Amino acid sequence: MVSRLRDEIQERLNARLTRVLDAAEIGIPGRDQFQAFRKFALREFGNQGFLPELDALLQQHGQARNGQAEAAGKEVPR
């Protein structure tokens, strides 16, 4: 189960990426150039780029992919 924070970040990222791709489709001449840009953008902001970095940051800051803090369920030492 993926954390709610990650889901919200990914949802907002995807919405913005969709708008960028829509603008690029209008502004980039030639279908081949647009497809190359689209492929690049999806790779950079998807599973081969940003999302693994996001997972690493969430883990580094104590947010596991299941949404619980790393110390959840562990007894606090006295």
Side-chain angles (χ1 to χ4, degrees):
M1 183 175 188
V2 179
S3 75
R4 198 169 137 208
L5 175 61
R6 184 189 188 278
D7 287 345
E8 289 181 25
I9 291 170
Q10 185 175 1
E11 184 179 316
R12 289 184 176 125
L13 174 74
N14 288 344
R16 289 178 185 270
L17 184 56
T18 297
R19 289 192 298 270
V20 167
L21 290 175
D22 288 345
E25 189 171 23
I26 294 167
I28 296 177
R31 191 76 181 152
D32 291 340
Q33 288 89 352
F34 168 70
Q35 288 299 327
F37 176 78
R38 180 181 183 276
K39 186 176 180 180
F40 170 77
L42 292 174
R43 205 175 12 217
E44 283 297 308
F45 293 99
N47 292 330
Q48 296 176 1
F50 178 73
L51 294 179
E53 291 177 16
L54 175 60
D55 289 338
L57 282 172
L58 290 172
Q59 187 175 32
Q60 177 183 350
H61 292 280
Q63 184 75 31
R65 286 195 66 155
N66 64 5
Q68 295 182 349
E70 290 295 320
K74 296 180 182 174
E75 187 176 323
V76 178
R78 295 179 188 216

